[in-house]
Amino acid sequence: MDIPRIFTISESAHRIHNPFTSEKFATLGAALRLEPGMRILDLGSGSGEMLCTWARDHGVTGAGIDMSQLFFAQAKRRAEELGVTDLVKFIHADAVGYIAEEKVHVAACVGATWIGGGVAGTIELLAKSLGVGGIILIGEPYWLRAPATEDVAKGCGAGAISDFFTLPQLLSFFDDLSYDVVEMVLADQEGWDRYEAAKWLTMRRWLETNPHDALANEIRAKLTSEPTRYAAYTREYLGWGVFALMAR
């Protein structure tokens, strides 16, 4: 069980596998008014940066679920580095359908809503682990402006324009699901640059040490095309944010 290898190669040096920075996660943790002992569930927890830093800074406890063997191992090491192994645990598993044994104060899926088949399904899944009065966190892309053509959408990594909402549409969609949006923290261009551009050096170093790997040609093609594609499409059209929701 693992994610496609292209991601574990290109993002192997990342601590955060989305356009957030450590500062943005700190802002979000403060905005949520986290308190010691609060329980957090993080589906698709990646390398564990959100859980580990919040445990260090706020004394929360939590569990992160991720199917990447590499990111799971990195999350465990990060917990050890920050001295929070008594507060957080990480589980190597498929987060699809995962429900916490004990109700949590915050149930999160930050950038992996495919786990629930989309935003609505992921919210429905997270709600099954949430205690009364708890908060759901959804990390999701949105269009800064709607692409004029489907080709532009595909250049941004979407399958179609309809894959994402604009920001007002996304907030309205949460309203339609009978959730109040009680906080949001949005990525900025610096966060996008750090997330995307950091992959390029990682891929280049990997190619230098793995020239005969079966994936080398694909990595080479991606490294060649990604800077221009990112600058022309993702950087111009795609936003990303984490949205805090409470059921009415």
Side-chain angles (χ1 to χ4, degrees):
M1 176 178 58
D2 210 335
I3 64 175
R5 192 165 168 239
I6 186 71
F7 297 109
T8 57
I9 292 173
S10 64
E11 298 188 26
S12 60
H14 284 51
R15 279 186 177 169
I16 300 171
H17 303 279
N18 58 58
F20 256 24
T21 60
S22 57
E23 292 79 11
K24 290 289 186 180
F25 271 127
T27 296
L28 179 61
L32 295 176
R33 307 170 195 176
L34 298 175
E35 297 178 359
M38 281 186 167
R39 293 183 302 277
I40 297 176
L41 174 67
D42 187 8
L43 299 186
S45 51
S47 297
E49 191 73 2
M50 183 178 80
L51 271 182
C52 289
T53 55
W54 285 0
R56 177 196 63 192
D57 297 341
H58 302 283
V60 300
T61 65
I65 320 297
D66 203 280
M67 67 187 302
S68 165
Q69 294 182 13
L70 174 63
F71 300 161
F72 161 69
Q74 290 176 337
K76 292 183 68 175
R77 287 197 298 271
R78 187 62 169 152
E80 293 169 358
E81 291 171 1
L82 297 185
V84 295
T85 54
D86 58 329
L87 296 175
V88 298
K89 67 177 180 179
F90 294 96
I91 301 169
H92 178 229
D94 188 344
V96 174
Y98 188 93
I99 301 173
E101 294 181 0
E102 185 178 4
K103 296 294 186 181
V104 300
H105 298 90
V106 178
C109 182
V110 178
T113 55
W114 55 265
I115 286 170
V119 172
T122 300
I123 290 172
E124 182 179 358
L125 173 61
L126 291 171
K128 295 177 181 178
S129 297
L130 198 65
V132 176
I135 291 176
I136 286 175
L137 294 182
I138 291 289
E140 183 70 4
Y142 59 88
W143 296 122
L144 294 173
R145 61 181 187 275
T149 68
E150 295 292 348
D151 285 343
V152 171
K154 291 176 181 177
C156 296
I161 296 173
S162 60
D163 281 2
F164 304 130
F165 295 112
T166 63
L167 182 57
Q169 289 170 339
L170 181 57
L171 298 176
S172 180
F173 183 67
F174 294 139
D175 176 61
D176 291 342
L177 296 175
S178 296
Y179 279 86
D180 290 325
V181 180
V182 297
E183 259 294 357
M184 70 177 188
V185 178
L186 304 181
D188 55 24
Q189 284 198 329
E190 174 65 16
W192 269 113
D193 290 348
R194 298 287 19 95
Y195 173 54
E196 293 290 348
K199 300 175 188 178
W200 308 336
L201 180 57
T202 301
M203 289 190 288
R204 176 56 190 262
R205 295 302 189 211
W206 183 90
L207 283 168
E208 291 171 353
T209 56
N210 299 273
H212 305 298
D213 189 275
L215 212 60
N217 287 341
E218 182 177 344
I219 296 293
R220 163 39 62 192
K222 193 171 184 68
L223 175 57
T224 300
S225 63
E226 275 299 285
T228 300
R229 183 209 62 79
Y230 166 64
Y233 296 105
T234 302
R235 199 174 193 271
E236 293 298 313
Y237 287 91
L238 206 57
W240 197 90
V242 179
F243 305 89
L245 313 175
M246 295 182 70
R248 294 191 186 125

